[in-house]
Amino acid sequence: MPNKLDDQFVAVFLEEASDVLADWERHCLAIQKEVSSQSLDALFRSAHNLKGSARSVGLDGYAKFIHLAEDMINLMRDRHELANAEGISILLGAQNILLQWRQILLGNLGAPEPEFVDKYKQILTELKDRSTGAARVEQAFGVFDDNQTSLEVKATPAKAEKAKVPSQSQESIRVPAQKIDVLMQIIGELSTQQATINHCLKTNRMSERICTNAIQFATKLTRELQLQTMALRLVDLSRLFQRLERVAYDVAQEQGKNITIIVQGAEVEMDKSVIDRMTDPLVHMVRNAVDHGIEPKGSRPSQKPAGATITLTASKSASGVQIELADDGRGINPEKVIKKAVSLGLAKEGEQIPLKKIYEFLFAPGFSTAEKLTDISGRGVGLDVVRRMVDELEGTLEIQSELGHGTKFTIVLPTNVSIIDSLVVLASGQHYVVPIQEVAEVIDLRSYSIESQTQRGKTIALREKAVTICPLQAFIPDTKPHTSLQTKSHHKEAQQTVPSPAMIIDISGEKVGFEFEQVVGQQPILIRKLAGYIAGIPGFSGSTILATGEPAVILSPKVFARQYLSDKEVH
């Protein structure tokens, strides 16, 4: 690069480039649905502004590449017939090149122009020359070999990114000034109350009304400060949904399928860390929906619309954010799933299996009913990864499907995963924390009669449905070898004479209860990561500090419930 770069200005440019390139992609997707002068003008403005900004900070190579794409966009503005699926695919490929190039620059501002850029420059240049020569746009794509497609070109920079981009990159979030103003106001009010409390402390007036009022108000402000601070990490789902829409169109184009994507609720907000962790699983699900869910070209039933529809919806729910991915494709064939489950030893031949249980087989590692392996799906890396990530985020995942009509996946995730509401419980003489969102209800076992009892637990009738109640401590390893046997013996005696409360966990309609000694209370907690050998214990999802100052392990009873149900099938 001939110009000496000011690192600070380049860093600002690269941050802003991410937003402009997202707009670039959004405009391309809009043009794919409907070619309009307004969308083409907006796309041209995005490219032109990005080019100008790149030149202003000395990234001349970056700007020259954008200029080539800008020329192609300008041609489309004059001749709308050039803005067909293939032409927009080339512009999306250019956007992908710029994104990968940006990632490399984030790791090293002085990095030379990546090798994969030259190949795409040739494509853009030859496409422009052929188009300006009044050739039909289909002929312009003669730049590709018979075995080469634009999708293959777009895959090239991804490999370069893995090889050259350092793992450490500073994460940033754009925060509206209004949110900062609210924080400043709360902190100002909190400082005033703190000053009042300090004055009362110095003058021995702690018991007076003015002091108690100040303490109560400060507590309220602290809670509000906590909520507003968490809100700083909330971002809307528009960027994620846009990426999923892009993935769906790319896969559909590769397979020659005609699809329409309906997006609803993109304005719903979630913690950025939740979005980041769920992005890859959701990308896999969308690719699966197009590849597995939508019928192959030419085999879609005549009574259905020629174009398939994929609907992506987000909405607020009592448990956080609900994301639904639905398609109107062929649906899940229960017989094929059972046949595969039998071959893997997950079910017995001729066994009567409820529909929800059949769908649960799809989450088994390596489970796939694909008859043909492709680069898109059918390689056994699938829904088990999605389920594992949803579990780690303390969420839920359910499937609804009707053969011949389509499939819907419903994922419910917490709005944030930093601070959660929890139950503090006593089990085996130790305090543990359980996320409230994992618990369907807490019951008093004194109100229920025991229907039967085995070594694995007791059975009660909960609203006319048999529910097994297991001792919670049976699923918790002894992490304190010095714990006295007398305490455990005392607990066992108490368990025989005094009924204990139990938490009920719902796993896809199947309920399992866990009995413990006492509900200590309810409190919001800050989740901390576990370290050492304890981090690998199933059902131990983190740690926290209780209101008493005592450290406590955060349990995931859903993991215990699935473990019980899995063992139940074996026995």
Side-chain angles (χ1 to χ4, degrees):
M1 277 171 270
N3 300 331
K4 185 177 180 181
L5 301 179
D6 186 313
D7 290 359
Q8 183 178 358
F9 289 132
V10 176
V12 171
F13 164 76
L14 293 175
E15 182 66 31
E16 293 177 348
S18 176
D19 293 332
V20 179
L21 288 170
D23 289 338
W24 181 318
E25 182 181 60
R26 179 166 54 84
H27 297 320
C28 283
L29 292 174
I31 295 167
Q32 274 189 331
K33 294 178 180 177
E34 181 182 2
V35 180
S36 68
S37 297
Q38 183 179 1
S39 295
L40 286 167
D41 289 345
L43 178 58
F44 181 82
R45 283 195 300 272
S46 293
H48 188 73
N49 292 340
L50 189 62
K51 180 184 72 173
S53 298
R55 279 182 175 160
S56 70
V57 296
L59 294 174
D60 293 338
Y62 204 79
K64 288 177 181 177
F65 181 82
I66 299 171
H67 184 72
L68 291 173
E70 186 184 50
D71 285 343
M72 191 62 218
I73 298 169
N74 213 18
L75 284 171
M76 291 179 179
R77 294 168 76 194
D78 296 332
R79 297 170 54 195
H80 283 194
E81 71 271 14
L82 296 178
N84 59 11
E86 291 84 1
I88 296 301
S89 178
I90 287 291
L91 291 179
L92 284 171
Q95 183 258 3
N96 196 53
I97 293 283
L98 291 167
L99 276 176
Q100 310 299 348
W101 195 348
R102 172 185 171 274
Q103 284 296 109
I104 291 174
L105 289 171
L106 281 172
N108 178 12
L109 295 180
E113 183 176 296
E115 295 178 3
F116 56 77
V117 173
D118 282 337
K119 190 173 184 179
Y120 221 89
K121 276 184 180 178
Q122 294 171 15
I123 292 170
L124 287 170
T125 302
E126 189 165 344
L127 182 59
K128 173 191 167 187
D129 293 343
R130 288 175 182 265
S131 299
T132 52
R136 295 173 67 239
V137 71
E138 288 83 2
Q139 294 173 334
F141 284 85
V143 67
F144 296 111
D145 298 330
D146 291 339
N147 297 320
Q148 183 185 27
T149 69
S150 60
L151 289 173
E152 290 173 331
V153 175
K154 287 190 287 185
T156 306
K159 296 177 182 177
E161 180 187 357
K162 287 183 181 179
K164 298 182 181 180
V165 178
S167 59
Q168 65 273 18
S169 59
Q170 194 167 12
E171 184 186 11
S172 62
I173 301 175
R174 287 197 169 190
V175 179
Q178 184 180 4
K179 289 187 176 182
I180 303 296
D181 292 341
V182 171
L183 276 181
M184 293 297 294
Q185 183 179 354
I186 294 173
I187 291 171
E189 292 179 357
L190 192 57
S191 298
T192 301
Q193 303 307 315
Q194 183 63 49
T196 301
I197 295 170
N198 288 339
H199 175 72
C200 291
L201 182 63
K202 290 178 181 179
T203 56
N204 293 321
R205 300 166 60 191
M206 292 296 292
S207 59
E208 293 187 12
R209 187 175 183 82
I210 186 174
C211 185
T212 55
N213 287 344
I215 292 173
Q216 291 174 359
F217 194 31
T219 302
K220 180 181 177 181
L221 288 171
T222 301
R223 176 62 175 171
E224 183 64 21
L225 183 62
Q226 172 187 311
L227 294 174
Q228 293 297 330
T229 302
M230 288 191 296
L232 295 179
R233 290 193 57 87
L234 297 181
V235 296
D236 64 50
L237 293 169
S238 59
R239 188 75 67 87
L240 170 62
F241 279 12
Q242 182 176 308
R243 177 175 176 183
L244 298 177
E245 188 177 358
R246 163 83 177 271
V247 167
Y249 275 124
D250 284 348
V251 175
Q253 183 179 354
E254 182 179 352
Q255 297 188 340
K257 295 179 178 179
N258 180 17
I259 67 169
T260 298
I261 301 173
I262 299 174
V263 174
Q264 299 172 332
E267 72 283 355
V268 173
E269 291 185 323
M270 287 182 70
D271 191 300
K272 187 176 184 298
S273 64
V274 177
I275 294 176
D276 289 345
R277 292 170 68 180
M278 279 303 300
T279 295
D280 286 344
L282 285 170
V283 164
H284 172 82
M285 292 175 68
V286 168
R287 291 169 68 89
N288 234 18
V290 180
D291 188 32
H292 280 317
I294 304 303
E295 298 90 346
K297 185 178 181 180
S299 64
R300 190 167 169 84
S302 58
Q303 65 269 26
K304 287 186 175 184
T309 301
I310 291 178
T311 305
L312 195 58
T313 307
S315 59
K316 287 285 188 180
S317 73
S319 303
V321 174
Q322 179 172 299
I323 298 175
E324 294 181 354
L325 173 64
D327 66 72
D328 65 349
R330 49 192 166 190
I332 296 171
N333 188 332
E335 292 182 2
K336 289 181 68 176
V337 175
I338 292 174
K339 185 178 179 181
K340 184 66 175 182
V342 170
S343 69
L344 294 175
L346 299 174
K348 297 177 182 178
E349 191 76 43
E351 181 183 357
Q352 294 297 317
I353 306 174
L355 194 57
K356 282 192 174 183
K357 178 67 177 298
I358 293 173
Y359 295 155
E360 282 293 313
F361 289 139
L362 298 173
F363 298 111
F367 195 100
S368 176
T369 58
E371 297 174 358
K372 182 180 177 182
L373 297 181
T374 69
D375 290 335
I376 295 172
S377 56
R379 296 193 178 275
V381 181
L383 290 177
D384 63 310
V385 177
V386 178
R387 162 58 66 78
R388 185 164 62 248
M389 182 56 68
V390 170
D391 284 346
E392 287 179 6
L393 291 170
E394 311 291 353
T396 62
L397 171 58
E398 292 186 357
I399 302 176
Q400 293 174 287
S401 184
E402 185 177 354
L403 188 59
H405 291 82
T407 303
K408 181 170 74 173
F409 288 85
T410 302
I411 300 175
V412 178
L413 297 166
T415 304
N416 70 79
V417 291
S418 299
I419 300 177
I420 62 171
D421 288 325
S422 66
L423 282 178
V424 181
V425 302
L426 187 68
S428 296
Q430 296 181 33
H431 288 121
Y432 294 96
V433 173
V434 176
I436 284 180
Q437 60 207 26
E438 287 203 25
V439 180
E441 59 183 306
V442 176
I443 62 174
D444 185 350
L445 290 177
R446 288 175 296 182
S447 303
Y448 300 86
S449 58
I450 298 173
E451 304 290 330
S452 62
Q453 186 158 358
T454 65
Q455 290 183 342
R456 305 186 70 227
K458 62 187 76 170
T459 302
I460 64 169
L462 181 61
R463 290 184 286 276
E464 300 182 355
K465 185 175 181 180
V467 176
T468 300
I469 307 295
C470 308
L472 180 61
Q473 62 267 25
F475 293 83
I476 303 174
D478 190 356
T479 56
K480 289 188 176 181
H482 60 273
T483 300
S484 68
L485 293 174
Q486 185 178 358
T487 302
K488 291 189 175 182
S489 174
H490 172 74
H491 168 73
K492 187 174 182 180
E493 291 174 6
Q495 187 183 29
Q496 292 173 350
T497 57
V498 181
S500 303
M503 65 181 83
I504 305 299
I505 312 300
D506 190 321
I507 303 293
S508 300
E510 290 196 66
K511 290 183 170 60
V512 181
F514 295 100
E515 184 180 5
F516 52 95
E517 296 170 28
Q518 180 186 349
V519 176
V520 178
Q522 180 179 337
Q523 72 172 76
I525 57 164
L526 175 66
I527 300 175
R528 303 172 187 269
K529 291 183 178 180
L530 293 170
Y533 82 94
I534 198 172
I537 298 176
F540 280 28
S541 59
S543 64
T544 191
I545 302 297
L546 301 178
T548 59
E550 173 190 357
V553 171
I554 303 171
L555 302 179
S556 178
K558 283 196 171 183
V559 173
F560 299 151
R562 288 200 180 95
Q563 181 181 334
Y564 168 79
L565 293 173
S566 177
D567 292 344
K568 180 182 175 183
E569 291 170 12
V570 173
H571 292 84

PDB file of all heavy atoms in Angstrom, residues 48-72:
ATOM      1  N   HIS A  48     -20.366   2.773  -3.592  1.00  0.00           N
ATOM      2  CA  HIS A  48     -19.650   4.032  -3.837  1.00  0.00           C
ATOM      3  C   HIS A  48     -19.115   4.631  -2.540  1.00  0.00           C
ATOM      4  O   HIS A  48     -17.964   5.092  -2.468  1.00  0.00           O
ATOM      5  CB  HIS A  48     -20.592   5.015  -4.529  1.00  0.00           C
ATOM      6  CG  HIS A  48     -19.918   6.265  -4.997  1.00  0.00           C
ATOM      7  ND1 HIS A  48     -19.066   6.304  -6.090  1.00  0.00           N
ATOM      8  CD2 HIS A  48     -19.943   7.537  -4.493  1.00  0.00           C
ATOM      9  CE1 HIS A  48     -18.607   7.536  -6.257  1.00  0.00           C
ATOM     10  NE2 HIS A  48     -19.133   8.297  -5.294  1.00  0.00           N
ATOM     11  N   ASN A  49     -19.945   4.630  -1.489  1.00  0.00           N
ATOM     12  CA  ASN A  49     -19.508   5.186  -0.197  1.00  0.00           C
ATOM     13  C   ASN A  49     -18.378   4.365   0.400  1.00  0.00           C
ATOM     14  O   ASN A  49     -17.427   4.914   0.973  1.00  0.00           O
ATOM     15  CB  ASN A  49     -20.683   5.227   0.777  1.00  0.00           C
ATOM     16  CG  ASN A  49     -21.740   6.232   0.369  1.00  0.00           C
ATOM     17  OD1 ASN A  49     -21.461   7.145  -0.407  1.00  0.00           O
ATOM     18  ND2 ASN A  49     -22.953   6.062   0.874  1.00  0.00           N
ATOM     19  N   LEU A  50     -18.464   3.043   0.257  1.00  0.00           N
ATOM     20  CA  LEU A  50     -17.412   2.170   0.797  1.00  0.00           C
ATOM     21  C   LEU A  50     -16.105   2.404   0.052  1.00  0.00           C
ATOM     22  O   LEU A  50     -15.031   2.437   0.661  1.00  0.00           O
ATOM     23  CB  LEU A  50     -17.842   0.709   0.677  1.00  0.00           C
ATOM     24  CG  LEU A  50     -16.970  -0.323   1.388  1.00  0.00           C
ATOM     25  CD1 LEU A  50     -16.959  -0.083   2.895  1.00  0.00           C
ATOM     26  CD2 LEU A  50     -17.461  -1.738   1.103  1.00  0.00           C
ATOM     27  N   LYS A  51     -16.195   2.567  -1.256  1.00  0.00           N
ATOM     28  CA  LYS A  51     -14.993   2.829  -2.057  1.00  0.00           C
ATOM     29  C   LYS A  51     -14.328   4.137  -1.629  1.00  0.00           C
ATOM     30  O   LYS A  51     -13.108   4.196  -1.429  1.00  0.00           O
ATOM     31  CB  LYS A  51     -15.365   2.888  -3.540  1.00  0.00           C
ATOM     32  CG  LYS A  51     -14.192   3.165  -4.469  1.00  0.00           C
ATOM     33  CD  LYS A  51     -14.629   3.318  -5.914  1.00  0.00           C
ATOM     34  CE  LYS A  51     -15.357   4.631  -6.126  1.00  0.00           C
ATOM     35  NZ  LYS A  51     -15.659   4.877  -7.565  1.00  0.00           N
ATOM     36  N   GLY A  52     -15.144   5.187  -1.459  1.00  0.00           N
ATOM     37  CA  GLY A  52     -14.591   6.478  -1.053  1.00  0.00           C
ATOM     38  C   GLY A  52     -13.939   6.424   0.314  1.00  0.00           C
ATOM     39  O   GLY A  52     -12.855   6.988   0.530  1.00  0.00           O
ATOM     40  N   SER A  53     -14.574   5.720   1.243  1.00  0.00           N
ATOM     41  CA  SER A  53     -14.007   5.602   2.593  1.00  0.00           C
ATOM     42  C   SER A  53     -12.694   4.824   2.573  1.00  0.00           C
ATOM     43  O   SER A  53     -11.750   5.167   3.301  1.00  0.00           O
ATOM     44  CB  SER A  53     -15.015   4.916   3.517  1.00  0.00           C
ATOM     45  OG  SER A  53     -16.191   5.667   3.631  1.00  0.00           O
ATOM     46  N   ALA A  54     -12.647   3.763   1.751  1.00  0.00           N
ATOM     47  CA  ALA A  54     -11.418   2.958   1.660  1.00  0.00           C
ATOM     48  C   ALA A  54     -10.263   3.804   1.139  1.00  0.00           C
ATOM     49  O   ALA A  54      -9.134   3.728   1.649  1.00  0.00           O
ATOM     50  CB  ALA A  54     -11.651   1.745   0.761  1.00  0.00           C
ATOM     51  N   ARG A  55     -10.528   4.612   0.127  1.00  0.00           N
ATOM     52  CA  ARG A  55      -9.470   5.470  -0.425  1.00  0.00           C
ATOM     53  C   ARG A  55      -9.019   6.508   0.591  1.00  0.00           C
ATOM     54  O   ARG A  55      -7.835   6.847   0.669  1.00  0.00           O
ATOM     55  CB  ARG A  55      -9.983   6.158  -1.690  1.00  0.00           C
ATOM     56  CG  ARG A  55      -9.910   5.259  -2.926  1.00  0.00           C
ATOM     57  CD  ARG A  55     -10.369   5.983  -4.168  1.00  0.00           C
ATOM     58  NE  ARG A  55     -10.186   5.147  -5.348  1.00  0.00           N
ATOM     59  CZ  ARG A  55     -10.821   5.327  -6.495  1.00  0.00           C
ATOM     60  NH1 ARG A  55     -11.695   6.326  -6.607  1.00  0.00           N
ATOM     61  NH2 ARG A  55     -10.597   4.532  -7.519  1.00  0.00           N
ATOM     62  N   SER A  56      -9.957   7.023   1.401  1.00  0.00           N
ATOM     63  CA  SER A  56      -9.613   8.083   2.353  1.00  0.00           C
ATOM     64  C   SER A  56      -8.662   7.614   3.434  1.00  0.00           C
ATOM     65  O   SER A  56      -7.962   8.425   4.047  1.00  0.00           O
ATOM     66  CB  SER A  56     -10.898   8.642   2.983  1.00  0.00           C
ATOM     67  OG  SER A  56     -11.485   7.691   3.854  1.00  0.00           O
ATOM     68  N   VAL A  57      -8.629   6.296   3.706  1.00  0.00           N
ATOM     69  CA  VAL A  57      -7.712   5.778   4.725  1.00  0.00           C
ATOM     70  C   VAL A  57      -6.521   5.041   4.088  1.00  0.00           C
ATOM     71  O   VAL A  57      -5.751   4.381   4.779  1.00  0.00           O
ATOM     72  CB  VAL A  57      -8.446   4.832   5.701  1.00  0.00           C
ATOM     73  CG1 VAL A  57      -9.499   5.584   6.478  1.00  0.00           C
ATOM     74  CG2 VAL A  57      -9.044   3.636   4.982  1.00  0.00           C
ATOM     75  N   GLY A  58      -6.397   5.153   2.769  1.00  0.00           N
ATOM     76  CA  GLY A  58      -5.211   4.600   2.108  1.00  0.00           C
ATOM     77  C   GLY A  58      -5.326   3.156   1.669  1.00  0.00           C
ATOM     78  O   GLY A  58      -4.334   2.560   1.245  1.00  0.00           O
ATOM     79  N   LEU A  59      -6.508   2.563   1.741  1.00  0.00           N
ATOM     80  CA  LEU A  59      -6.677   1.173   1.302  1.00  0.00           C
ATOM     81  C   LEU A  59      -7.034   1.167  -0.185  1.00  0.00           C
ATOM     82  O   LEU A  59      -8.165   0.879  -0.598  1.00  0.00           O
ATOM     83  CB  LEU A  59      -7.772   0.482   2.129  1.00  0.00           C
ATOM     84  CG  LEU A  59      -7.464   0.273   3.610  1.00  0.00           C
ATOM     85  CD1 LEU A  59      -8.683  -0.282   4.339  1.00  0.00           C
ATOM     86  CD2 LEU A  59      -6.285  -0.679   3.784  1.00  0.00           C
ATOM     87  N   ASP A  60      -6.055   1.515  -1.021  1.00  0.00           N
ATOM     88  CA  ASP A  60      -6.312   1.689  -2.448  1.00  0.00           C
ATOM     89  C   ASP A  60      -6.698   0.385  -3.143  1.00  0.00           C
ATOM     90  O   ASP A  60      -7.557   0.381  -4.036  1.00  0.00           O
ATOM     91  CB  ASP A  60      -5.064   2.287  -3.132  1.00  0.00           C
ATOM     92  CG  ASP A  60      -4.796   3.709  -2.659  1.00  0.00           C
ATOM     93  OD1 ASP A  60      -5.749   4.355  -2.163  1.00  0.00           O
ATOM     94  OD2 ASP A  60      -3.648   4.183  -2.762  1.00  0.00           O
ATOM     95  N   GLY A  61      -6.048  -0.742  -2.748  1.00  0.00           N
ATOM     96  CA  GLY A  61      -6.377  -2.027  -3.355  1.00  0.00           C
ATOM     97  C   GLY A  61      -7.822  -2.418  -3.066  1.00  0.00           C
ATOM     98  O   GLY A  61      -8.538  -2.915  -3.949  1.00  0.00           O
ATOM     99  N   TYR A  62      -8.253  -2.177  -1.850  1.00  0.00           N
ATOM    100  CA  TYR A  62      -9.629  -2.459  -1.442  1.00  0.00           C
ATOM    101  C   TYR A  62     -10.597  -1.619  -2.282  1.00  0.00           C
ATOM    102  O   TYR A  62     -11.623  -2.115  -2.769  1.00  0.00           O
ATOM    103  CB  TYR A  62      -9.786  -2.129   0.044  1.00  0.00           C
ATOM    104  CG  TYR A  62     -10.903  -2.837   0.775  1.00  0.00           C
ATOM    105  CD1 TYR A  62     -10.762  -4.150   1.206  1.00  0.00           C
ATOM    106  CD2 TYR A  62     -12.092  -2.183   1.058  1.00  0.00           C
ATOM    107  CE1 TYR A  62     -11.783  -4.788   1.900  1.00  0.00           C
ATOM    108  CE2 TYR A  62     -13.110  -2.816   1.755  1.00  0.00           C
ATOM    109  CZ  TYR A  62     -12.960  -4.125   2.174  1.00  0.00           C
ATOM    110  OH  TYR A  62     -13.962  -4.757   2.859  1.00  0.00           O
ATOM    111  N   ALA A  63     -10.237  -0.339  -2.470  1.00  0.00           N
ATOM    112  CA  ALA A  63     -11.090   0.580  -3.225  1.00  0.00           C
ATOM    113  C   ALA A  63     -11.173   0.186  -4.695  1.00  0.00           C
ATOM    114  O   ALA A  63     -12.243   0.274  -5.315  1.00  0.00           O
ATOM    115  CB  ALA A  63     -10.574   2.010  -3.080  1.00  0.00           C
ATOM    116  N   LYS A  64     -10.058  -0.245  -5.274  1.00  0.00           N
ATOM    117  CA  LYS A  64     -10.054  -0.625  -6.696  1.00  0.00           C
ATOM    118  C   LYS A  64     -10.944  -1.842  -6.939  1.00  0.00           C
ATOM    119  O   LYS A  64     -11.623  -1.932  -7.964  1.00  0.00           O
ATOM    120  CB  LYS A  64      -8.618  -0.913  -7.156  1.00  0.00           C
ATOM    121  CG  LYS A  64      -7.757   0.341  -7.279  1.00  0.00           C
ATOM    122  CD  LYS A  64      -6.320  -0.017  -7.674  1.00  0.00           C
ATOM    123  CE  LYS A  64      -5.465   1.250  -7.773  1.00  0.00           C
ATOM    124  NZ  LYS A  64      -4.044   0.919  -8.086  1.00  0.00           N
ATOM    125  N   PHE A  65     -10.935  -2.785  -6.007  1.00  0.00           N
ATOM    126  CA  PHE A  65     -11.785  -3.962  -6.161  1.00  0.00           C
ATOM    127  C   PHE A  65     -13.262  -3.550  -6.113  1.00  0.00           C
ATOM    128  O   PHE A  65     -14.086  -4.016  -6.901  1.00  0.00           O
ATOM    129  CB  PHE A  65     -11.493  -4.985  -5.068  1.00  0.00           C
ATOM    130  CG  PHE A  65     -12.308  -6.239  -5.165  1.00  0.00           C
ATOM    131  CD1 PHE A  65     -11.929  -7.258  -6.016  1.00  0.00           C
ATOM    132  CD2 PHE A  65     -13.474  -6.385  -4.426  1.00  0.00           C
ATOM    133  CE1 PHE A  65     -12.686  -8.407  -6.127  1.00  0.00           C
ATOM    134  CE2 PHE A  65     -14.240  -7.534  -4.522  1.00  0.00           C
ATOM    135  CZ  PHE A  65     -13.853  -8.551  -5.377  1.00  0.00           C
ATOM    136  N   ILE A  66     -13.596  -2.649  -5.179  1.00  0.00           N
ATOM    137  CA  ILE A  66     -14.979  -2.173  -5.071  1.00  0.00           C
ATOM    138  C   ILE A  66     -15.381  -1.455  -6.352  1.00  0.00           C
ATOM    139  O   ILE A  66     -16.529  -1.566  -6.815  1.00  0.00           O
ATOM    140  CB  ILE A  66     -15.140  -1.234  -3.856  1.00  0.00           C
ATOM    141  CG1 ILE A  66     -14.814  -1.978  -2.556  1.00  0.00           C
ATOM    142  CG2 ILE A  66     -16.560  -0.662  -3.790  1.00  0.00           C
ATOM    143  CD1 ILE A  66     -14.738  -1.088  -1.333  1.00  0.00           C
ATOM    144  N   HIS A  67     -14.420  -0.734  -6.952  1.00  0.00           N
ATOM    145  CA  HIS A  67     -14.712   0.008  -8.183  1.00  0.00           C
ATOM    146  C   HIS A  67     -15.168  -0.934  -9.304  1.00  0.00           C
ATOM    147  O   HIS A  67     -16.083  -0.600 -10.077  1.00  0.00           O
ATOM    148  CB  HIS A  67     -13.479   0.788  -8.623  1.00  0.00           C
ATOM    149  CG  HIS A  67     -13.716   1.661  -9.823  1.00  0.00           C
ATOM    150  ND1 HIS A  67     -14.455   2.819  -9.766  1.00  0.00           N
ATOM    151  CD2 HIS A  67     -13.339   1.523 -11.118  1.00  0.00           C
ATOM    152  CE1 HIS A  67     -14.513   3.364 -10.969  1.00  0.00           C
ATOM    153  NE2 HIS A  67     -13.844   2.592 -11.810  1.00  0.00           N
ATOM    154  N   LEU A  68     -14.559  -2.119  -9.383  1.00  0.00           N
ATOM    155  CA  LEU A  68     -14.959  -3.096 -10.390  1.00  0.00           C
ATOM    156  C   LEU A  68     -16.408  -3.542 -10.177  1.00  0.00           C
ATOM    157  O   LEU A  68     -17.194  -3.649 -11.126  1.00  0.00           O
ATOM    158  CB  LEU A  68     -14.033  -4.310 -10.352  1.00  0.00           C
ATOM    159  CG  LEU A  68     -12.598  -4.089 -10.825  1.00  0.00           C
ATOM    160  CD1 LEU A  68     -11.750  -5.334 -10.559  1.00  0.00           C
ATOM    161  CD2 LEU A  68     -12.573  -3.753 -12.311  1.00  0.00           C
ATOM    162  N   ALA A  69     -16.759  -3.818  -8.903  1.00  0.00           N
ATOM    163  CA  ALA A  69     -18.132  -4.212  -8.599  1.00  0.00           C
ATOM    164  C   ALA A  69     -19.093  -3.044  -8.852  1.00  0.00           C
ATOM    165  O   ALA A  69     -20.219  -3.236  -9.344  1.00  0.00           O
ATOM    166  CB  ALA A  69     -18.234  -4.670  -7.147  1.00  0.00           C
ATOM    167  N   GLU A  70     -18.633  -1.833  -8.537  1.00  0.00           N
ATOM    168  CA  GLU A  70     -19.453  -0.637  -8.741  1.00  0.00           C
ATOM    169  C   GLU A  70     -19.800  -0.456 -10.222  1.00  0.00           C
ATOM    170  O   GLU A  70     -20.940  -0.101 -10.576  1.00  0.00           O
ATOM    171  CB  GLU A  70     -18.697   0.578  -8.214  1.00  0.00           C
ATOM    172  CG  GLU A  70     -19.469   1.867  -8.238  1.00  0.00           C
ATOM    173  CD  GLU A  70     -18.603   3.032  -7.776  1.00  0.00           C
ATOM    174  OE1 GLU A  70     -17.471   3.178  -8.290  1.00  0.00           O
ATOM    175  OE2 GLU A  70     -19.069   3.802  -6.924  1.00  0.00           O
ATOM    176  N   ASP A  71     -18.828  -0.719 -11.101  1.00  0.00           N
ATOM    177  CA  ASP A  71     -19.079  -0.630 -12.541  1.00  0.00           C
ATOM    178  C   ASP A  71     -20.183  -1.599 -12.965  1.00  0.00           C
ATOM    179  O   ASP A  71     -21.040  -1.272 -13.791  1.00  0.00           O
ATOM    180  CB  ASP A  71     -17.797  -0.933 -13.329  1.00  0.00           C
ATOM    181  CG  ASP A  71     -16.803   0.227 -13.277  1.00  0.00           C
ATOM    182  OD1 ASP A  71     -17.228   1.341 -12.918  1.00  0.00           O
ATOM    183  OD2 ASP A  71     -15.619   0.008 -13.595  1.00  0.00           O
ATOM    184  N   MET A  72     -20.146  -2.821 -12.398  1.00  0.00           N
ATOM    185  CA  MET A  72     -21.153  -3.822 -12.745  1.00  0.00           C
ATOM    186  C   MET A  72     -22.540  -3.385 -12.251  1.00  0.00           C
ATOM    187  O   MET A  72     -23.548  -3.546 -12.941  1.00  0.00           O
ATOM    188  CB  MET A  72     -20.763  -5.166 -12.126  1.00  0.00           C
ATOM    189  CG  MET A  72     -21.580  -6.339 -12.626  1.00  0.00           C
ATOM    190  SD  MET A  72     -21.390  -6.594 -14.392  1.00  0.00           S
ATOM    191  CE  MET A  72     -23.055  -7.068 -14.836  1.00  0.00           C
TER     192      MET A  72
END
